[in-house]
Amino acid sequence: MNIKKQSLLIYSLLLSIFVASCGSGQASDIKPAPLTATIIPTETFTPLPTFTPTSTLSPTPSPTPIPAIGDTLRSDNWEISIIEAAYRKNFSIAGTVYTPRPGYMVFDVIVKVNNLNFASNPSTSANNDVVIDAQGKAQLATCWGAHDVVKSQGKDLQELIFIGCQTGNIYTMKIENESYIRFLFTIEDTNLGKTISFKFEDLPAVPFVINKQ
């Protein structure tokens, strides 16, 4: 076989291979690259964190009201109300008129008292019924006297007689029925117009102000 025929034979063979691999209507063995889908993430809702208190707040307690003249105070043993607290220029005992020394003043405190536990607690002591002055100092009464309320009807409460004074020896007052007790106090006149308080036995002190009439 000469060179010309040999070249023609090689050309024919290559042409046959090309037609076999790329002929019209025949699928190619080359596959397209797979598509890569870009997935957009769905927006999700993240709830806010739940607040957990570190301590439990207690309600603010209401302040205890301050008692006043005319209010009724009670304990296991006593029920009282202050009827009045009044300035006196002077006072009398058994017909003798007394005037306070310079620098001092006198005033009455009239209290209505009901004994709630007479069987075990029949009396009140003048040593337990005091005035607390503007400086916080407790002052005992100068004189005192208890009178049955029913028997005192129609009487001037500021003229109820005294049954005991600091110069005597009667300091306890038997309270069997509802009674008025008249206390007379002598304290420094620097307390005029200032808040002072009266305290009876185990009950809270009641504040008031004494002014000249």
Side-chain angles (χ1 to χ4, degrees):
M1 185 180 294
N2 55 30
I3 296 175
K4 187 176 179 179
K5 290 182 178 180
Q6 186 177 8
S7 299
L8 182 61
L9 182 61
I10 293 173
Y11 175 76
S12 297
L13 179 62
L14 290 174
L15 181 61
S16 298
I17 294 173
F18 177 77
V19 171
S21 61
C22 299
S24 175
Q26 191 172 10
S28 172
D29 290 336
I30 302 174
K31 296 181 179 179
L35 295 178
T36 301
T38 301
I39 300 174
I40 300 174
T42 303
E43 184 177 357
T44 57
F45 173 73
T46 303
L48 295 175
T50 302
F51 174 72
T52 303
T54 56
S55 61
T56 302
L57 298 177
S58 300
T60 302
S62 301
T64 302
I66 299 173
I69 291 178
D71 290 348
T72 299
L73 306 180
R74 293 181 181 87
S75 68
D76 292 338
N77 296 318
W78 301 101
E79 178 184 84
I80 75 160
S81 60
I82 298 180
I83 304 302
E84 60 180 301
Y87 176 84
R88 301 294 298 270
K89 290 177 62 176
N90 50 51
F91 63 97
S92 63
I93 299 177
T96 302
V97 177
Y98 296 88
T99 301
R101 291 182 299 160
Y104 288 83
M105 67 177 188
V106 293
F107 61 94
D108 280 330
V109 175
I110 311 295
V111 187
K112 182 186 283 188
V113 180
N114 188 16
N115 193 340
L116 303 178
N117 193 14
F118 179 78
S120 60
N121 190 54
S123 302
T124 180
S125 171
N127 290 324
N128 297 330
D129 309 326
V130 300
V131 156
I132 302 168
D133 67 16
Q135 290 72 45
K137 181 180 178 182
Q139 305 276 356
L140 294 176
T142 301
C143 296
W144 49 86
H147 301 272
D148 186 278
V149 167
V150 174
K151 295 178 181 179
S152 300
Q153 295 299 318
K155 295 182 179 180
D156 184 350
L157 299 183
Q158 289 191 13
E159 297 301 327
L160 294 177
I161 64 171
F162 298 119
I163 62 171
C165 291
Q166 290 292 343
T167 55
N169 57 6
I170 301 175
Y171 282 81
T172 59
M173 290 170 281
K174 187 177 181 179
I175 308 296
E176 185 173 3
N177 303 311
E178 189 175 44
S179 301
Y180 291 121
I181 303 180
R182 178 190 175 192
F183 294 95
L184 182 80
F185 289 94
T186 305
I187 64 175
E188 294 178 351
D189 61 9
T190 53
N191 290 282
L192 271 172
K194 297 180 180 178
T195 300
I196 58 180
S197 303
F198 172 77
K199 189 176 189 314
F200 184 89
E201 292 286 348
D202 58 349
L203 290 164
V206 179
F208 52 85
V209 175
I210 297 294
N211 293 306
K212 285 186 176 181
Q213 296 176 340

